[in-house]
Amino acid sequence: MANQGSRPPRPTRAGVPAGPPRRLPCAPMERPPVERLAVDQVWTPAQHTALWLGAWVTGQVAYDHLLDALDAVGGPHSAELIDATVPDVVDVDAPLDRSGLLRLVRAVTEGGAWARDAEPPVRLVLSGPGEAPALPAGTELYDAASRSGAAIVLADATPGWHHVLVPDRLPGGGGVRWRWWTVEGHLPEPAHLSPGEADLMLADATRRAAAAIAASGPAARLGVDAPDPRLMVGTLTDHFDLAELPGELPRRAGGLLARADRLAAILTVGRGGSPGVGAAHDPHLIPLWRDIRAARVAAVDHAVREWAADYAGA
């Protein structure tokens, strides 16, 4: 259901059903199997989309640059209002394409009191095995974010309101549909890591992962020929670099993401691309995946806070 109205005051929820999402065509991209496995396991369009939206709402990038970046991140973007209270800037009865989605993002965040020490206008939420999303438990939103493994939180310019966007990859290379919920009140407090803390955590996790995988040699135990793991890690790391990041990205945030990508590549190679390969590593790898997610969230948080500080000082 979706509501429209101006802010403040907030409108009540009237239960207006949203129209079906528009599925925009996009030709599927063929990738080597190991790269496709890496994308499925360790990459989500939410990370880059959160960064680009954060850069845009804080005035760091122009609208045209944002459009080009979103085209490269997950393909065509659309939105579906599930349970949303939104300003009167879109027709909630019509499918929301990319322009409608961005119009809503701008409308709910514009005029906020953004600053480095305040709540950031855009925040990334990641979850996975052994880690629940930092969202209200027992809700449809929580279940959707758990299935997706990712969500983007927009802090409304009106205090006490949040908008949560959960990505849904459409089949056949059809792009990303963002399912939109509005939450009144505070959300669960996320874990806070400084860039320095996250960087030390990832450095230690990378050493432990590389040592454990090298020591056990799953491919050798199975009697199969496998490429040099170091070359495979390099290939996957190169793949992560293909998705453009904002040029204004703070150096410390960029370094965190690069280290997270490298650890993700090491773990993907250790897990293997065939059924059963690397399964013995799972108890050791699950905590490392949590470290990767925490570092990605910390990188986005640091970047958006730095941009918000520039925005407030402009």
Side-chain angles (χ1 to χ4, degrees):
M1 67 182 73
N3 253 349
Q4 289 187 329
S6 58
R7 298 169 294 123
R10 278 289 180 177
T12 58
R13 301 184 181 224
V16 180
R22 177 183 297 177
R23 300 193 176 196
L24 303 179
C26 179
M29 180 181 295
E30 291 297 326
R31 298 186 180 97
V34 69
E35 290 191 7
R36 185 163 55 248
L37 174 67
V39 171
D40 291 343
Q41 288 188 352
V42 302
W43 191 84
T44 168
Q47 173 186 288
H48 279 48
T49 303
L51 283 169
W52 281 103
L53 290 179
W56 179 55
V57 302
T58 56
Q60 299 292 322
V61 299
Y63 184 71
D64 289 345
H65 197 181
L66 171 68
L67 296 183
D68 291 340
L70 291 182
D71 283 341
V73 180
H77 292 251
S78 60
E80 180 183 5
L81 302 180
I82 304 298
D83 187 4
T85 300
V86 296
D88 188 10
V89 297
V90 296
D91 180 1
V92 297
D93 294 320
L96 288 178
D97 58 9
R98 181 184 61 183
S99 63
L101 167 65
L102 295 179
R103 193 176 303 120
L104 271 185
V105 171
R106 173 66 78 187
V108 300
T109 58
E110 192 167 27
W114 313 127
R116 180 182 287 111
D117 296 331
E119 181 179 19
V122 180
R123 181 161 59 85
L124 177 65
V125 174
L126 296 177
S127 62
E131 182 180 21
L135 294 167
T139 63
E140 181 186 16
L141 165 60
Y142 179 92
D143 292 340
S146 297
R147 290 191 298 269
S148 174
I152 293 175
V153 175
L154 305 176
D156 198 293
T158 301
W161 291 80
H162 297 86
H163 307 272
V164 185
L165 284 61
V166 177
D168 181 16
R169 294 194 200 185
L170 301 178
V176 181
R177 175 183 58 189
W178 293 91
R179 306 179 71 199
W180 185 303
W181 280 264
T182 301
V183 179
E184 183 179 8
H186 294 290
L187 294 178
E189 190 71 14
H192 292 287
L193 279 178
S194 71
E197 291 170 334
D199 193 65
L200 288 174
M201 175 191 70
L202 279 186
D204 179 64
T206 301
R207 288 191 293 269
R208 287 187 286 118
I213 292 169
S216 56
R221 286 201 321 271
L222 293 173
V224 299
D225 293 329
D228 186 334
R230 290 169 296 182
L231 297 180
M232 295 174 68
V233 168
T235 298
L236 295 181
T237 303
D238 290 343
H239 173 85
F240 291 127
D241 291 338
L242 295 178
E244 183 183 7
L245 291 166
E248 297 76 9
L249 186 69
R251 179 182 58 82
R252 298 184 76 183
L256 262 183
L257 293 177
R259 193 184 290 277
D261 289 344
R262 178 163 181 80
L263 179 54
I266 291 172
L267 297 189
T268 301
V269 170
R271 185 63 177 84
S274 302
V277 176
H281 295 305
D282 284 351
H284 307 289
L285 300 189
I286 287 176
L288 300 179
W289 287 119
R290 286 201 297 265
D291 291 344
I292 292 173
R293 291 191 293 269
R296 295 191 188 282
V297 169
V300 172
D301 182 77
H302 175 70
V304 177
R305 288 181 183 275
E306 291 297 305
W307 292 332
D310 291 344
Y311 178 82

